[in-house]
Amino acid sequence: MKKLVVAAILGTGFLISCTPKTPAVVGTKTITAEYLAQGKTIFDNSCGKCHDLPNPTAHSAQNWVGIMNSMAPKAKLNDEQHQMVYDYIVSVKK
Ligand code: HEC
């Protein structure tokens, strides 16, 4: 019983600490393969409409920040989708 209570408290703390305060802080969230796959799907579906699908390795992670800031509104991505696509793009470089 005591163990369960502790787990519940830890669980709550985990959820709170996992809520990113600003979308750009990558270190506070867990990037899973599934999360990146979702980012790739959004990228594949949204970023090849007006031009060829861009090559993620063609720009530095730093440059992608600016590119995504101008392209996410064009692709009508919400903040979460914007972040997912960015995280996917940057992950391709590794
Ligand atoms: C509504 C049309 C549209 C959509 C959707 C769109 N783009 Fe673009 N994109 C453009 C236009 C127009 C340009 C060239 C002019 C400019 O840079 O604004 C461009 C240019 C680019 C460039 C070249 C920038 C450079 O500095 O060389 C990249 C990379 C890019 N887009 C990536 C993306 C990504 C990633 C997405 C998906 C999130 C996306 N685009 C979605 C219209 C679009």
Side-chain angles (χ1 to χ4, degrees), residues 6-52:
V6 172
I9 292 167
L10 284 177
T12 311
F14 177 74
L15 280 179
I16 291 167
S17 68
C18 260
T19 307
K21 295 204 166 50
T22 56
V25 180
V26 174
T28 57
K29 65 174 177 266
T30 315
I31 296 182
T32 60
E34 193 182 23
Y35 173 90
L36 292 178
Q38 256 180 290
K40 182 183 189 316
T41 301
I42 299 166
F43 175 79
D44 287 349
N45 291 333
S46 314
C47 302
K49 285 180 184 163
C50 307
H51 42 64
D52 287 346

